[in-house]
Amino acid sequence: MPTGSVRLQSIKRLGQDNHSYDVSDDEPSGSYMTMTNSNKGSKTPEDSEKPAIRVGFFQLFRFATCKDVAMMVVGGVCAMLHGSAQPLMLLVFGMLTDTFIEYDVELNELRDDRKECVNNTIVWKRNYTEAYDPAAPPPTGWGLINNSTWEMLTPLRPLRCGILDIEHEMTLFAFYYVGIGVAVFLLGYLQISLWVRSAAKQVQLIRKLYFSKVMRMEIGWFDCTSVGELNTRLSDDINKINDAIADQVSIFIQRFTTFICGFCIGFVKGWKLTLVIVAVSPLIGLGAGLMAWFVAKLTGMELQAYAKAGAVADEVLSSIRTVAAFGGEQKEVQRYDRNLVSAQQWGIRRGLIMGFFTGYLWLIIFLCYALAFWYGSTLVVGAQEYTPGTLLQVFFGVLVAAMNLGQASPCLEAFAAGRGAATMIFETIDREPEIDCLSEAGYKLDRVKGDIEFHNVTFHYPSRPEVKILDQLNVAVKSGETTAFVGPSGAGKSTAIQLIQRFYDPKEGMVTLDGHDIRGLNIQWLRSLMGIVEQEPVLFATTIAENIRYGRPGVTMEDIITATKEANAYNFIMDLPQKFETLVGEGGGQMSGGQKQRIAIARALVRNPRILLLDMATSALDNESEAVVQEALDKVRMGRTTISIAHRLSTIKNADVIVGFEHGRAVERGKHAELLERKGVYFTLVTLQSQGDKALNEKTQKKSDGEDHPEKLNLSRAGSYRSSLRASVRQRSRSQLSNLIPESSVNMAGEIGPRTYSLSKPEVSKNTTLDEEEEEAVEPAPVARILKYNAPEWPYMLFGSFGAAINGGVNPVYALLFSQILATFSITDPDVQTREINNICTFFVMVGVVSFFTQMLQGYAFSKSGELLTRRLRRLGFHAMLGQEIGWFDDHRNSPGALTTRLATDASQVQGATGSQIGMIVNSLTNIGVAVIMSFCFSWKLTLLILCFLPFIGLSGAFQARMLTGFAKQDKVAMESAGRISGEALNNIRTIAGLGKERSFVEMYNAQLDMPYQAALKKANVYGACYGFAQCVVFFTNSASYKFGGYLVRQEGLHFSLVFRVISAIVTSGTALGRASSYTPDYAKAKISAARFFQLLDRVPQISVYSGKGDKWDNFKGNLDFIDCKFTYPTRPDIQVLNGLNVSVKPGETLAFVGSSGCGKSTSIQLLERFYDPDHGKVLIDGHDSTHVNVSFLRSKIGIVSQEPILFDCSIAENIKYGDNSREIGMDEVTAAAKKAQLHDFVMSLPEKYETNVGAQGSQLSRGQKQRIAIARAIIRDPRILLLDEATSALDTESEKTVQDALDKAREGRTCIVIAHRLSTIQNSNIIAVMSRGIVIEKGTHSQLMDLNGAYHKLVTTGAPIS
């Protein structure tokens, strides 16, 4: 039994790896399907731009050394020898078959008792022939001579006998098999381990080169390339290159050699039969090609159909706040479901077509068998050109050749993937950085004074070339002075500092140091002059001492201690148990903000810099630490050129020069007092802040008198974020109260709320990264639960399983027919022989036809059940997503993009666990079951022997299926520590560049690469051994079985065809079993996807839209009270947004909020809508606590018009109707609402009137038109409460007037909350509340506030913009 037929299904099924479509996992897949496997259905995103592959295959090896090349050559030779082993085995197999048949013929002849064996030839027995002497005259009794006697008169064919010792012969063949097996093991081991070794070496080199080149790139390059992308390149893409240059190459060489040798055997041994088989094979190729084409096309159609639903999902999830505000959840779920129907139909069609073509391929293969054996047997029996052995050699030679060609094609995919990955990596390695931080070029000045000057500098970031950041900037910074840069966010202050560090080069103009253009100076030297302290200092995950040492190589411990003393850090460091050896944690997470800041200052000071750059160095601190840090900074500024960017007055007041920035220009310059006189940028920044601080001070004062430790309340939330911080935060905030917010806390742009909970950002981000890892590791879902969702489709699954069972039986039946054919060759009677052969060939045809129909049934039934499941899960998942509270969507893991992908991929992967998986299990079970039962019937002894080998055969099948997908996946764990270093380096590239530490990171990274390299060498041996084992098992099995078979034939008279029957039945089903076990990755993936899905379905939202619980009442008035509301966004727990908001509105009144951005105006509206609930305090609606009110009831009473209204991609009328999703709305109502919103006339002027499509997000309309549609949408709800969130701020004056009129109309008789930036829009409100830092600092009518002469008055009179 050749492995040719063993390998019958070792083809990698179409689409097994490119999961762009599902294949029902159970067909034992037609032999040649994979010839077209390289049509990957899934396109990688990069494909679209320029040709994605710009690296030739041999260029992948450009980093190979001579030793590597030698290893690859030896490995390649081994692969070629290994490839020729299978065809070689066919030669042995052919001889073996001939021997068996010869022996059987001899037995058959000698069964005739008139014949005997004389001198090793078969002759008639003497006594028969002597009775009749042809020379004597004929006797009279002619009647005695019957037919059989006539037969004896014909001389016998010269048949040999007595020489053939079948047992001895079989022992000889067994030894051949063992010999080939051993050779195969060795060659397999060598070919894999050598290639994997050389690849490991090259990949290590590529990693080193790539990382060191990336670390040399200028900062602008990092702006345009995301860190995530670089990390993927370092891990995944380089692994892809590894796959392309490692074991896959040798496997490809091996398979290709087998292909060539197989055809050679075919043509040399029997060209006629070979030509006949080759003539038929285009039909198989055609089938496989058509199948690939159809599947790709149908997959395309399905994806397109799903894209519609995906677009709906994306649109809905992106505008989730609008959907929630207008209660459109159920409506959207239905819209989504409608769009899923067509995707489902295409999916079912695809399953049917797959089934059809799989069936077709099996049909053709069986017809091919029938044809080959029929034609071959005529050549053996009739023309006697071939021996039966030759027939088998030729037939299996061609079969094995074709199959190996099919198996070689997945390797081509790996090569293509590797070349695609190498494209980007090699291009980066070859790219020359624009500002090379490691270059030795450039001057180093002997004396540095420290005068810095900007001459007409114009600059925009390479990642945003359309936005001008600096516009003809002229600033001079004198040496030894402290210059403060102030101005609103985005005015270009930090950019100026980055230009001084030469992170970027200006587009026009130049930056000079002591009159020298800094582009001419040596970069490392230039950066070594500067110490920089940033707002969010970056510490590296090592000890405090090491972190400070990063400041300057080779500093002594004394220097470190001096620096820490200067930075006011010495004392707190000495209090820590490990002192300077304390680990600061990832991103400095174990330290408080103030401690990190002081370590960063020490790091800057240890450099002994000429120039000190302070970029908001104290803004992230609470007051006490701020005072300490500020003091440290004042100490060290002496005698150095210092540039300080700050938002707090206290930090700037005593600067020598203050420069005011606006829109990328320096607009004013002078001392604190001078600038206050000018009433410009500086003045505006100062005024609002000082007001907010006063109010906050009073509030804190009151509280601290009234209760002991009010801060505990505030802390409960922030504290829980990191228990280790709880204590230190508490202490800080307690001492802070004693400090009672002195003047030093004036924060000049109000971005950051009170500093009580200064959990600095990296800590929060650390939290999220932890969550991410937790999220990834979900327990796979139990299959029972997945099946429960698929229960309604049980009839389909039943039919599918029935089809699968029959398909499983095909293999053993094939073994039966194959051995039957061999048996016919030993029949002596020619007529009986031809009749038998024709019968068997007919049988082959019948099996093919049955297989065709059952494959189709299986394909259709399982795709139907799978697609229905997918649709059901998608709908349920989408429904669950829309039911989550808004805070859930703020988490970056739940961004609309992530959620839509989850709906698209997870849901479709789940079917891998139900239908097709069941089909596969049924298929394998029947396959093995039928084979074993059949074999026991024919020869239980031989069956038992082979069953001992079965586990190994199964293993080898599994290994081979794994080999198809490539074994040399790099060890992730080994790469982790290197990945940590590269991740830390790339995330903090600015800090590293500022410190000039690129080299040391490259060295650390390279040191970490040794472990993965050693691991890869170990693996090379393991993989090689496994591969060799997998390849040689079949040889050893055959060797033992044929040896024992020979014994049974000789001693127990077992018919030789039964030996073949048993061996081929079990060996084929064994490999099939192994293959089946290898599809389990799909299955595991499906279970994980399902688990992720169930996690979503089981999540209980904190604010549930779908629940009917909660208060409802009839005469809803719209009386609103905010009582001491405190709130932080769940994603930014460190920033207190509302800080005790107290304000109330009576029914029918209008309340206006004014204040700078970030002071909590919009947040209060979101609390009212119950997008969030306050952390402390409550919102009362008609006296009911908002957290106890039914969510959908509450939202149905509120209409909202926001600054950027979100419209859906449908007609104007549908958008207006969206205002009330609880009922059907007639056109009259729509037009009435449109008239109220001053929209009607404009709509009537459009060609399609109300049926005009507004485009995605309303892109076809102007802003004013969108605003008015949004107003009409709010009016049609007939809400009791109307919320206008900066509804007119984005409009020009003319449209603003129209919209304002519409709004004034809409406000009549409703409770209304307005947020506005233009005073004109709010003057006639009943109450105006001026907010700052999350509390109301003044409230009253316009005239009352003007009399107060407070913040509002200042804003109105100076005409400064409120924002």
Side-chain angles (χ1 to χ4, degrees), residues 362-375:
W362 277 101
L363 177 64
I364 296 289
I365 286 170
F366 275 108
L367 291 179
C368 220
Y369 284 153
L371 176 70
F373 283 133
W374 173 79
Y375 177 63

Side-chain angles (χ1 to χ4, degrees), residues 714-726 757 759:
N714 310 6
L715 277 171
S716 62
R717 204 143 179 244
S720 65
Y721 259 75
R722 189 166 240 83
S723 46
S724 65
L725 269 167
R726 237 180 244 165
Y757 320 107
L759 269 160

Side-chain angles (χ1 to χ4, degrees), residues 580-629:
F580 280 97
E581 294 309 304
T582 311
L583 287 170
V584 299
E586 185 97 16
Q590 304 301 317
M591 302 278 137
S592 75
Q595 294 168 338
K596 272 169 41 176
Q597 219 29 305
R598 283 176 281 168
I599 294 174
I601 293 174
R603 180 173 66 192
L605 294 181
V606 86
R607 299 171 77 89
N608 195 7
R610 288 293 314 124
I611 301 164
L612 194 56
L613 307 174
L614 307 173
D615 187 351
M616 306 240 268
T618 59
S619 65
L621 309 181
D622 58 75
N623 297 302
E624 193 192 358
S625 356
E626 185 192 7
V628 179
V629 171

Side-chain angles (χ1 to χ4, degrees), residues 461-691:
Y461 284 110
S463 52
R464 301 195 301 271
E466 67 287 347
V467 185
K468 231 185 217 176
I469 304 286
L470 297 181
D471 185 9
Q472 301 287 322
L473 174 71
N474 282 300
V475 174
V477 177
K478 296 210 173 54
S479 74
E481 285 192 347
T482 297
T483 308
F485 288 177
V486 298
S489 313
K493 307 182 297 290
S494 299
T495 308
I497 282 198
Q498 299 200 35
L499 287 178
I500 298 175
Q501 287 181 285
R502 213 180 151 208
F503 284 170
Y504 303 96
D505 284 338
K507 294 284 160 284
E508 296 166 31
M510 62 177 184
V511 184
T512 60
L513 170 67
D514 293 352
H516 299 267
D517 184 340
I518 61 170
R519 281 174 288 200
L521 303 173
N522 178 289
I523 296 191
Q524 287 285 343
W525 175 83
L526 172 72
R527 289 182 186 164
S528 72
L529 299 176
M530 301 177 186
I532 178 160
V533 183
E534 299 145 309
Q535 178 177 6
E536 288 291 347
V538 173
L539 299 186
F540 298 101
T542 162
T543 63
I544 295 181
E546 276 305 303
N547 264 303
I548 297 176
R549 227 172 246 125
Y550 273 127
R552 193 174 91 223
V555 285
T556 62
M557 203 60 207
E558 278 77 58
D559 297 340
I560 293 184
I561 291 173
T562 327
T564 47
K565 280 182 178 155
E566 279 185 2
N568 279 347
Y570 184 70
N571 297 343
F572 95 77
I573 296 178
M574 295 321 277
D575 290 345
L576 296 167
Q578 274 121 355
K579 308 200 167 48
F580 280 97
E581 294 309 304
T582 311
L583 287 170
V584 299
E586 185 97 16
Q590 304 301 317
M591 302 278 137
S592 75
Q595 294 168 338
K596 272 169 41 176
Q597 219 29 305
R598 283 176 281 168
I599 294 174
I601 293 174
R603 180 173 66 192
L605 294 181
V606 86
R607 299 171 77 89
N608 195 7
R610 288 293 314 124
I611 301 164
L612 194 56
L613 307 174
L614 307 173
D615 187 351
M616 306 240 268
T618 59
S619 65
L621 309 181
D622 58 75
N623 297 302
E624 193 192 358
S625 356
E626 185 192 7
V628 179
V629 171
Q630 192 55 51
E631 192 187 327
L633 289 175
D634 291 342
K635 259 201 288 197
V636 302
R637 284 189 340 215
M638 296 309 144
R640 295 192 167 103
T641 308
T642 307
I643 299 180
S644 159
I645 297 180
H647 277 168
R648 299 205 196 164
L649 231 68
S650 55
T651 48
I652 299 174
K653 261 186 176 167
N654 42 11
D656 300 311
V657 181
I658 296 172
V659 180
F661 274 71
E662 197 171 31
H663 305 307
R665 297 194 161 153
V667 288
E668 46 188 23
R669 165 185 182 109
K671 288 219 175 341
H672 174 67
E674 297 164 22
L675 293 180
L676 281 181
E677 298 291 288
R678 286 192 51 175
K679 292 223 163 39
V681 183
Y682 186 63
F683 173 75
T684 331
L685 286 170
V686 174
T687 31
L688 199 67
Q689 269 356 97
S690 45
Q691 221 82 36

